[in-house]
Amino acid sequence: MDASPSPAPSNFVRDIILDDLKSNKYEGRVQTRFPPEPNGYLHIGHAKAICLDFGLADEFGGHTNLRFDDTNPEKEETEYVESIKADVKWLGFHWDGLFYASDYFDQLYEWAMKLIKDGKAYVDDLSAEEIRKHRGTLTEPGKDSPYRNRAAAENLNLFERMRAGEFADGSRVLRAKIDMASPNLNMRDPVMYRIVHAEHHRTGAKWCIYPMYDYAHGESDSIERVTHSICTLEFEDHRPLYNWFIQQLGIFPSRQIEFDRLNLTYTLLSKRKLLQLVQEGRVRGWDDPRMPTLSGIRRRGYTPEAIRNFVASIGVSKTTGVIELAMLEHFVREDLNKRVPRVMAVLRPLKVVIDNYPENQVEEMDAVNNPEDAGAGTRKVPFSRVLYIEQDDFREVPPPKYFRLSPGREVRLRYGYFITCTTVVKNASGEVVEVHCTYDPATRGGNAPDGRKVKSTIHWVSAAHAIDAEVRIYENLFTKEDPNQVEDGQDFTANLNPNSLEIVTGAKLEPSLASAAVGGRYQFERLGYFCVDLDSKPGALVFNRTVALKDAWARVEKKQGAKS
Ligand code: ATP
Ligand code: MG
């Protein structure tokens, strides 16, 4: 079968699949699975795995199952199952089969009995601690357990009694009988089953023994006739065990392929650590817009397209690296730039009075909705005598290279007029609270008939028409590129950024935003991309900043700061 041309460059996983198709290893079939453990919400790292699993199967006309790897009853919950399903759909993928490792508990139990009968598995009475001590190290072989050579009949009896609930948690395990001297520690009689008297989110109290990942995973792949089982590199050393179980049982030979997991600067991608942030109240929940979870970045306004483009561009490899968070943000900007409407919003308002503009006059200015999309049309924005501009767009004493409004300086109001600052009004503490200007009526729409130029265009909102909003500005959740890098005795929470959330109340928005609906995305001109948060209510809008625009002035200021 010839692969149709793919937009993304090829990668080694795809090449393996192509080889298997060429040699007809799986009769031309490609089947993958995405196997999350329902012990937390999916994060952007999982998006990479999802895009690979579903993307490759789609490319070759294959199938992908969503399979919940639910073998740790104490950590797994239905809430997580539901969130994972929603996140996969949101990313734009559709699973063929929906399965749970727990669907296979009976089959896995039967196969374990077969391995016992064949002398390939045994019940061990050693404690977890003793098993660890017997395992040896990378340089020393392990030691056999005194229970290793139990007769099959005794093992069968004990295993059945483990299942029947006769023994306490941790008192016995079932182990595969492989090779205690193997250079690969995973092959030193790995544990297959442990006793856990716990309620399972699907099977309830039916089981009190649960299969370990290494036993359950490959066998579940095989049951579903998965051809290519794509997982992250930490499982590379588990592949011999994956293959060993399949060979001993003589079942469908699924093929495990490992790729590099995604790491991002200033970000933690571990469900366990993200859960800790939620439980300790460090964030507002799994869907806090600062979280790297799919639900968090969705709430923040990231699009599935941006994430898929990002994943495609980072590729897959056999060595683990760290990707710049800025690169993800680049793809978010690139996607939003094409599709979202522009509006004018002032986050930190400064009142501007245009003294020579007629009182009570209102003009409707034509504004372009999206310069990147001619079909997006135009809208009317009301202009009047009293406006708001950003505090940042005025300096009483302008520093070098600052071209925005200052006394005596003329600037352009976007879609409006040229204005010149005449005087300022200060409060008792000397802060500028109001700026007075004059406007040139001949510059309506933004150009002077005499061709004179201004060096700056600033945005504004008419005070009488403005609507109020709360705007939540997010910065990186962690201050260190590698949040795991800590001093002795600290954990990663020591690197949390205390300023990762800034709540700006009293922002002023152009009136067209009165009808903005939850989830709606906009570019606030000159500021960045924003979306309407779930907490919004009619008359009390709340926006999240999805990502800032690249701010040219901030860069100049930073450079100047660095020099002085
Ligand atoms: P975590 O440590 O965050 O819990 P996990 O690997 O235990 O991650 P699973 O639910 O077992 O999470 O993962 C489901 C699939 O997603 C696996 O195939 C796993 O390899 C993949 N995956 C998890 N994290 C990443 C990541 N950062 N980059 C790429 N793939 C990932
Ligand atoms: Mg896991």
Side-chain angles (χ1 to χ4, degrees), residues 285-405:
W286 283 102
D287 69 344
D288 187 303
R290 292 168 291 179
M291 290 280 270
T293 51
L294 296 182
S295 53
I297 60 187
R298 170 166 68 235
R299 182 167 179 176
R300 183 159 171 166
Y302 285 26
T303 60
E305 290 82 357
I307 295 167
R308 295 200 304 260
N309 292 342
F310 165 72
V311 167
S313 83
I314 58 178
V316 279
S317 85
K318 272 284 186 192
T319 47
T320 302
V322 184
I323 305 285
E324 298 280 343
L325 182 57
M327 183 169 171
L328 173 59
E329 292 177 344
H330 161 81
F331 280 92
V332 174
R333 275 190 206 100
E334 185 190 62
D335 185 48
L336 294 176
N337 178 44
K338 285 182 288 194
R339 64 159 89 199
V340 307
R342 276 58 172 167
V343 291
M344 291 200 284
V346 172
L347 298 194
R348 295 172 184 85
L350 172 64
K351 196 187 258 186
V352 171
V353 181
I354 305 172
D355 292 320
N356 62 338
Y357 192 87
E359 274 189 61
N360 302 324
Q361 176 172 306
V362 178
E363 287 177 86
E364 295 289 337
M365 308 311 249
D366 284 313
V368 175
N369 286 333
N370 186 349
E372 303 289 321
D373 174 6
T378 60
R379 69 186 184 290
K380 301 283 188 196
V381 184
F383 185 93
S384 65
R385 186 168 183 267
V386 182
L387 311 172
Y388 293 115
I389 65 167
E390 294 291 343
Q391 289 169 14
D392 250 10
D393 283 338
F394 176 81
R395 292 288 166 85
E396 193 178 10
V397 182
K401 295 194 183 157
Y402 183 91
F403 301 118
R404 306 178 213 171
L405 199 62

Side-chain angles (χ1 to χ4, degrees), residues 37 39 69 271:
E37 181 176 359
N39 61 348
D69 174 25
K271 280 181 283 183

